[in-house]
Amino acid sequence: MGWTDERVELLKKLWQDGLSASQIAKQLGGVTRNAVIGKVHRLGLSGRAAPSKPARTVFKAPRPARPAPAAPSAPRRIAEPVAAMAPTPSPVRFVDEEPGMATVLTLGAHMCKWPIGDPALESFTFCGRRTGHEGPYCMEHSQVAYQPAQAKKKGSPAELARSLRRYI
DNA sequence: CCCTGATTCGC
DNA sequence: GCGAATCAGG
């Protein structure tokens, strides 16, 4: 199928309406999204009103220089923005008795990362007790976290914990 | 792995 | 001019 006037008009309209190339291709039929994109470019209407996206400047923060060859066996943990900007978490304090005393700022490497409360609230904390040798959670929470049945339920503590793992 | 647009290049 | 392949990103 070639680009008849009607099809080109339709393409223009749909593209201006903000449909994606693949959606347009589907609607036109007989063309792939690549064909649509190619045509869009040839027509010179590649730019579109951005519905979302605050027109990000294409700029990448340079990688922070490597600290220095640390201990070979030290677990490699990439610093998240939050952790990176936070003041150095002063001496790690485990919370052996009362769970829920650790915040994202005070949570240390070997402190239980089990979420306590609602992450949206100020009162949100992490358990903070000692973890085992490997796991991210203390003994008690490891048991809760690694129960398959419970872990699958949406909104369960285990689910929440897992979803937060990558930020810790 | 799903998707997005951008670019290249043989046709 | 066309669009598949590829790239770069979300």
Side-chain angles (χ1 to χ4, degrees):
Chain A
M1 253 187 195
W3 288 105
T4 63
D5 286 359
E6 298 89 64
R7 288 167 65 78
V8 171
E9 287 309 308
L10 184 52
L11 165 62
K12 284 181 181 173
K13 179 189 179 298
L14 296 177
W15 183 257
Q16 238 77 35
D17 284 354
L19 277 84
S20 72
S22 61
Q23 287 176 314
I24 295 173
K26 222 180 297 176
Q27 182 149 341
L28 285 172
V31 286
T32 65
R33 76 178 196 96
N34 279 316
V36 170
I37 291 173
K39 186 61 180 175
V40 160
H41 269 248
R42 268 171 256 123
L43 290 173
L45 35 73
S46 55
R48 258 195 307 193
S52 55
K53 291 306 168 212
R56 293 200 55 77
T57 308
V58 183
F59 169 76
K60 278 189 176 177
R63 273 188 180 277
R66 279 209 162 209
S73 60
R76 318 229 295 103
R77 181 135 296 169
I78 306 304
E80 282 293 322
V82 173
M85 285 177 215
T88 304
S90 39
V92 175
R93 286 229 169 270
F94 292 104
V95 189
D96 287 319
E97 313 80 20
E98 192 72 17
M101 295 305 292
T103 71
V104 67
L105 296 183
T106 64
L107 195 60
H110 299 292
M111 297 169 68
C112 178
K113 296 162 187 62
W114 188 263
I116 307 275
D118 187 339
L121 300 181
E122 293 272 342
S123 60
F124 179 68
T125 61
F126 294 93
C127 170
R129 289 179 291 191
R130 285 178 192 280
T131 67
H133 291 314
E134 281 302 319
Y137 309 122
C138 66
M139 300 274 279
E140 177 192 315
H141 288 135
S142 290
Q143 296 204 329
V144 185
Y146 300 130
Q147 282 177 10
Q150 188 174 350
K152 293 209 168 195
K153 293 175 73 175
K154 278 232 164 168
S156 72
E159 160 83 13
L160 174 59
R162 268 191 293 106
S163 70
L164 289 173
R165 277 294 292 128
R166 80 180 232 94
Y167 299 107
I168 301 170

